[in-house]
Amino acid sequence: MHGGDGRVDRAAIIAEYDRVAADLRHLVASADGATLRRPSHGTRWTNEQLLFHMVFGYMVVRRLLVLVRLIGRLPDRIGSGFAALLDAGTPVFDAVNYLGAVGGARVFHGDALVRRSDRVIGALHRSLEREPEVNFGLRMRYPTRWDPFFSEYMDLEEIYRYPTRHYDFHRDQLTLDGR
């Protein structure tokens, strides 16, 4: 969402990141082992695995930013072909996405997950602050079958905002409160 002057509202994006970081710290600090092993709602993951997946959304964005900066400068037919290729690989992506969270939660859980999240969100914060305004005009096609928050075209601002939308969506699937 652009500010009144047409520029990207970086402060709003950073505030979203800060809100998520605080929320994750609270969730991890208030959940015991049994709660983390409980199945989440609407996924095949446990709460702990889903928490890792939610943080992984921020990790992925660091790579997506590179793609937008690169492919966003190329002819649209190249980006269209790339998105079509990725869409064709959706079954493989789905399997890797699921298993990645299962394995990732074994490595990054509890305080380690919070530290990883803080590092990744901090890196995104710094990247956003340094991003030249002209880059926010870059956009590329995305594999719309991979994620409900991917649209056919996404610009750099949408990519910076994506992980928080992803986090908030999955936040509602956690069963940490017993629901």
Side-chain angles (χ1 to χ4, degrees), residues 28-45:
V28 169
S30 61
D32 62 19
T35 302
L36 291 170
R37 288 187 297 276
R38 186 180 306 144
S40 62
H41 177 69
T43 80
R44 296 185 300 162
W45 289 311

Side-chain angles (χ1 to χ4, degrees), residues 7 13 20 29 40-41 43 52 54 56 62 64 67 77 83 88 93 105 107 115 120 124 134 147 149 159 168 175 177:
R7 297 167 64 94
I13 297 170
V20 164
S40 62
H41 177 69
T43 80
F52 173 82
M54 292 159 61
F56 190 70
R62 295 189 65 203
L64 295 179
L67 285 176
R77 63 184 165 75
F93 168 80
V107 176
R115 285 191 303 275
V120 170
L124 286 172
V134 68
D147 190 283
F149 298 111
I159 297 303
D168 289 343
T175 58
D177 59 3

Side-chain angles (χ1 to χ4, degrees), residues 150-178:
F150 282 175
S151 55
E152 184 178 4
Y153 281 97
M154 293 180 74
D155 63 27
L156 207 64
E157 179 183 6
E158 291 169 305
I159 297 303
Y160 274 111
R161 289 184 179 276
Y162 162 79
T164 302
R165 292 180 68 201
H166 175 260
Y167 180 97
D168 289 343
F169 172 79
H170 286 302
R171 173 72 166 83
D172 289 338
Q173 295 177 312
L174 292 170
T175 58
L176 299 174
D177 59 3

Side-chain angles (χ1 to χ4, degrees), residues 15-32:
E16 291 173 355
Y17 290 171
D18 291 345
R19 173 185 57 82
V20 164
D23 184 59
L24 181 71
R25 279 191 288 280
H26 167 74
L27 292 173
V28 169
S30 61
D32 62 19

Side-chain angles (χ1 to χ4, degrees), residues 11-139:
I13 297 170
I14 289 168
E16 291 173 355
Y17 290 171
D18 291 345
R19 173 185 57 82
V20 164
D23 184 59
L24 181 71
R25 279 191 288 280
H26 167 74
L27 292 173
V28 169
S30 61
D32 62 19
T35 302
L36 291 170
R37 288 187 297 276
R38 186 180 306 144
S40 62
H41 177 69
T43 80
R44 296 185 300 162
W45 289 311
T46 65
N47 285 318
E48 186 168 53
Q49 293 163 346
L50 184 55
L51 284 168
F52 173 82
H53 176 76
M54 292 159 61
V55 170
F56 190 70
Y58 287 88
M59 293 182 215
V60 166
V61 162
R62 295 189 65 203
R63 305 305 169 242
L64 295 179
L65 291 169
V66 172
L67 285 176
V68 174
R69 291 180 195 121
L70 173 68
I71 294 175
R73 290 179 166 83
L74 299 175
D76 188 53
R77 63 184 165 75
I78 294 173
S80 294
F82 183 64
L85 179 67
L86 293 176
D87 258 341
T90 298
V92 173
F93 168 80
D94 288 343
V96 169
N97 189 38
Y98 171 74
L99 293 172
V102 170
R106 291 176 181 255
V107 176
F108 296 105
H109 53 87
D111 290 339
L113 181 63
V114 170
R115 285 191 303 275
R116 181 69 175 157
S117 174
D118 286 345
R119 279 194 299 277
V120 170
I121 288 175
L124 286 172
H125 179 161
R126 291 185 299 278
S127 174
L128 178 61
E129 286 179 328
R130 292 188 312 263
E131 195 73 59
E133 192 67 30
V134 68
N135 282 1
F136 287 104
L138 296 172
R139 67 185 200 136

